[in-house]
Amino acid sequence: MSQWGEEGPYQALLTTDCAGCHMGVNSGGETPFVISATEPSYQMTGTEAGTNTLAGGNFFWVASTGMDSRGHNVEGLTAPDSSLPSPPGFDGSQAAADGSIPAGGSWPNGRQVGCAGTYGCHGTHSETHPVAAVKGGHHQGRGGAITSPGSEPAGGYRMLVGIAGYEDPLWEYSVDAGSHNQYKGADGTRDDSTISSLCIRCHGKFHDQGSIGRWIRHPVDYDMANSAADSEVRGYGGDTNQYQPAVPVASFDVSRPLSQVSMQGGEAIVTCLSCHRAHGSPYDKMMRFNYAGSLGDGCIVCHTSKD
Amino acid sequence: MIVFKIDRHFLRRVAAQALALLFLASAGYAGPYRESAHGDGDEGVHRLVPGVSSPGPYITGNCAHCHEQHASMGGQEPVPQNGGPSPFALFAPPFDSARRFAPYQMEDVFCFYCHSGASSLQRSASLMENYDYSRNFGGLTGGPNNVLEAFNQPLAGLSASYHNLYDIWNHSQRFNFFKSNSTPCSACHNAHRARQNREHPQNPDFTAISLPTDHESLWGDDAGETMAAYNGEYEHPLYAGPSGGREPAGVGAALANGSQVPDYNRFCLDCHAEQVYSSTLSRQIPRIDWTTTGGDTYSAGDKHGRNSYTNEILVQAPFDSAMGQNRGFVLSCLDCHEPHGAPNAYLIRRGVNGSALMGQVTGRAADNSMGYLCRQCHKDDDAQYGGAVNSWRFVHHDSQEAPYTAWQCATCHPMGGGTGTQPPIGCGYCHGHGMTIDKSTPGTLPSGQTIPAPNGGARKTF
């Protein structure tokens, strides 16, 4: 079979590994492709008409020579990062809902991140093998609103243990203000079901400031509705606060995607994914937009007086 | 005008939001930050990190040169500068409020990391030298080359003065935009909007200041925000540069109509319309009334403002040539004062109205060194009849509107005696913002002598 991988045998009687199924060019079909052999169409933010990347972006760029900073250097997809032997900000204390901690709490120098498992994002960190880590996830068919993710891999948003969220059926292949993932957020309190809490499992020192929120510089899991009445961030999305797929914000309620966000509370929450693509992007630091090469493009969506 | 400002503000906000929604297509749009000095793609902020050969992929003007979203620039992740979070995600603390007095260090104020000369973190620091007002707009040579130096000149001089940054920070807490973690500089400057005025000294569209009460807007870039708003009452001082002409920067006399100068009066009075405390002077600085007319009445404002002179005034060029129009003048605060620091007391400029002061203004009440400033525009005995420099006998005793009759020297002068060389009375006993003299004020001199009421009973003396 042409779909068979070359490195078998594979666990669970699979014919290939993660990349075997998830490598390709997206065209709106049923399989999300996260890495492409040829450069995907991203345009400026990956949200424009004609783009063919998904919500997580694409690993194509980080897999290219000299582009370490443009995505997660996932084992099997890319070479190890040339300058980062471990996840920057890793502190080994952030557990998933099932109690598992990435790398068991101690990241070996030079060990690459994986798709899933002990060193990965998807599934439980208590399983070394990626396939075992996401066991059941592909078959239980959960989708749409994941409001009670539990602690099983299959129960979590995108098989991320304990993470809540609304899953866009096309992984944002085509995205607009009314059709998109809805990320789970919190407001200054610890909530291990938010999308940012997933990132913090490996990058805790970026944002861990003790018990009061998890940020040390740019805030995440912070609700812009907390800002002063005349704050510039209340201009997110214009006068009607339209949801901006290029710079998404999270919400308490993830039962449905929001086409507008309220500045009354719980719907305008800054997340890691407001700025970053989880898999990769054409830009430095896997930014959603060309931050380093611009004068604040992207930033001005929230920081509206800084245009 | 206030209504206009609100409308303009609203429109700018709508424009900003629209821009945010369409930021992909914004490359050709120059928003306030892109038009600002910091956001200039060629000469804007560009921090060089010590020990790091490359500042990374961040283009000139990029946010990262001041703000660090996670960790330190240059790969020193994940420990941020100073080991902890800095407000506004700045790479260093905005202000050390424990620093109450000059001399200031680079670490005291975030802005000084770049606005500090040779130790600046800014790439090509020479491109961003910031001279004082006397040089940049007044045409004098020398003086400080950067903002930190301007605040610290001269370090130990009794006469040097500076805008106390702690006082500014403390006073500014009353403004809505200002936070306890704000830099004192942001009271007057919006770092995301301030433009490169020094490169365009005759064009207030490039103003670098924002009213503390209207932080999100530049001040001076609208017609109603310039000295032209005084309806011809502003007379541009002479320019000291080789080209001659008038301030700012040698504009031709025929063109000097106030529109080249931001209305610094309205700007400064955003704070100084009320009494403010000076830690440096350990006293209150009087409130300044630059608008009320009324001649020599008690309720009138300063004559250097909109209030008018008393019948006769003996002034130097270019003010003398305008006297035929029978009008008073409204001076700009920066005609006499530096905004950051000066080698004289009271932030007095080192050069005024076309030339350098001939002596240092010490700020001591007992001497008449303030006269070195006055004589730049008013006629001392030297200018009047070739008498002594910074001697003021003629205007006080011999002129048509002289306040005191001559030959009664000992009434006021402690060692008076008719020789013509009576020890002067310190200018500050009678002259200063808001001052009036009559039979009860200014009261008693240190010599024990009481200054009598002037001819006419009372005079507003500034």
Side-chain angles (χ1 to χ4, degrees), chain A residues 44-45 48 207 209 216-218 235 237 239 244 276 284 291-298 300-301 304-307, chain B residues 16-17 19-21 23-24 32-34 39 57-64 68-70 80-81 85 90 192-193 216:
Chain A
M44 293 292 285
T45 68
E48 298 81 1
H207 301 290
Q209 197 185 14
I216 197 163
R217 285 194 179 258
H218 195 288
D239 286 340
Q244 300 296 296
H276 298 283
D284 187 65
Y291 170 63
S294 72
L295 298 180
D297 281 2
I300 60 174
V301 171
T304 57
S305 74
K306 308 300 189 304
D307 62 299
Chain B
Q17 291 168 346
L19 173 69
L21 295 173
F23 76 89
L24 309 180
Y33 180 66
R34 293 157 198 268
Y58 308 107
I59 66 169
T60 299
N62 183 265
C63 315
E68 292 181 333
Q69 314 306 337
H70 295 298
Q81 191 87 7
L90 297 173
H192 299 101
R193 293 179 186 267
E216 290 300 338

Side-chain angles (χ1 to χ4, degrees), chain A residues 249-304:
Chain A
V249 288
S251 57
F252 293 161
D253 177 9
V254 291
S255 61
R256 61 187 173 85
L258 299 171
S259 57
Q260 282 182 284
V261 300
S262 163
M263 287 295 167
Q264 301 302 309
E267 294 187 352
I269 299 168
V270 182
T271 83
C272 302
L273 299 190
S274 297
C275 299
H276 298 283
R277 294 283 185 188
H279 295 158
S281 81
Y283 303 122
D284 187 65
K285 309 296 184 190
M286 45 209 281
M287 295 291 286
R288 286 176 168 268
F289 39 83
N290 187 11
Y291 170 63
S294 72
L295 298 180
D297 281 2
C299 305
I300 60 174
V301 171
C302 296
H303 297 283
T304 57

Side-chain angles (χ1 to χ4, degrees), chain B residues 94-414:
Chain B
F95 178 55
D96 180 3
S97 58
R99 178 70 68 184
R100 300 298 178 92
F101 304 102
Y104 297 107
Q105 310 296 319
M106 176 187 274
E107 295 77 11
D108 294 334
V109 181
F110 177 78
C111 308
F112 289 157
Y113 278 93
C114 287
H115 291 278
S116 56
S119 55
S120 169
L121 298 186
Q122 170 74 5
R123 179 191 65 169
S124 302
S126 61
L127 291 175
M128 52 158 292
E129 287 176 332
N130 300 121
Y131 306 130
D132 62 3
Y133 192 90
S134 296
R135 176 169 176 174
N136 218 42
F137 299 90
L140 271 78
T141 56
N145 290 315
N146 58 75
V147 180
L148 178 58
E149 190 179 339
F151 276 96
N152 285 343
Q153 57 174 320
L155 291 178
L158 291 174
S159 306
S161 55
Y162 58 96
H163 228 144
N164 186 294
L165 292 172
Y166 173 81
D167 290 345
I168 293 173
W169 175 83
N170 190 42
H171 180 85
S172 300
Q173 304 295 327
R174 69 195 61 197
F175 302 120
N176 287 336
F177 81 92
F178 202 88
K179 307 293 187 297
S180 61
N181 288 317
S182 295
T183 71
C185 307
S186 64
C188 298
H189 304 283
N190 182 327
H192 299 101
R193 293 179 186 267
R195 305 191 71 188
Q196 222 169 3
N197 206 177
R198 75 176 178 94
E199 294 290 339
H200 309 274
Q202 296 178 3
N203 187 352
D205 283 349
F206 290 85
T207 180
I209 54 177
S210 296
L211 288 176
T213 52
D214 190 15
H215 181 70
E216 290 300 338
S217 176
L218 287 172
W219 179 254
D221 58 340
D222 286 339
E225 299 174 352
T226 70
M227 294 304 290
Y230 292 91
N231 301 321
E233 293 178 80
Y234 179 65
E235 188 72 36
H236 292 241
L238 298 178
Y239 178 65
S243 64
R246 305 290 187 87
E247 290 188 1
V251 63
L255 299 174
N257 59 5
S259 66
Q260 298 85 0
V261 184
D263 181 356
Y264 291 116
N265 301 334
R266 171 68 182 84
F267 176 75
C268 299
L269 292 176
D270 227 24
C271 290
H272 288 282
E274 301 299 329
Q275 194 177 63
V276 292
Y277 185 75
S278 168
S279 298
T280 314
L281 300 175
S282 299
R283 64 169 171 82
Q284 298 286 350
I285 297 175
R287 64 180 290 270
I288 294 172
D289 183 348
W290 216 241
T291 57
T292 307
T293 57
D296 288 311
T297 61
Y298 276 106
S299 58
D302 285 346
K303 291 177 174 177
H304 288 90
R306 277 214 139 120
N307 195 14
S308 58
Y309 60 93
T310 307
N311 299 326
E312 182 192 42
I313 184 171
L314 303 173
V315 286
Q316 310 265 24
F319 305 102
D320 57 346
S321 61
M323 291 307 297
Q325 299 176 34
N326 191 28
R327 69 181 190 213
F329 301 106
V330 177
L331 271 60
S332 159
C333 300
L334 295 194
D335 288 350
C336 295
H337 297 284
E338 287 286 348
H340 297 144
N344 297 301
Y346 311 128
L347 289 169
I348 299 297
R349 286 171 48 172
R350 58 198 174 88
V352 169
N353 194 31
S355 62
L357 272 58
M358 289 186 68
Q360 194 173 38
V361 178
T362 68
R364 287 189 287 267
D367 66 30
N368 70 338
S369 64
M370 184 64 78
Y372 289 118
L373 168 66
C374 305
R375 68 181 302 276
Q376 295 298 114
C377 299
H378 294 269
K379 288 186 175 179
D380 63 359
D381 292 348
D382 173 46
Q384 189 64 34
Y385 59 83
V389 170
N390 196 23
S391 178
W392 298 89
R393 175 189 170 98
F394 185 85
V395 70
H396 284 103
H397 302 301
D398 300 330
S399 66
Q400 179 184 335
E401 292 294 324
Y404 298 108
T405 304
W407 308 114
Q408 298 176 5
C409 312
T411 305
C412 299
H413 294 277

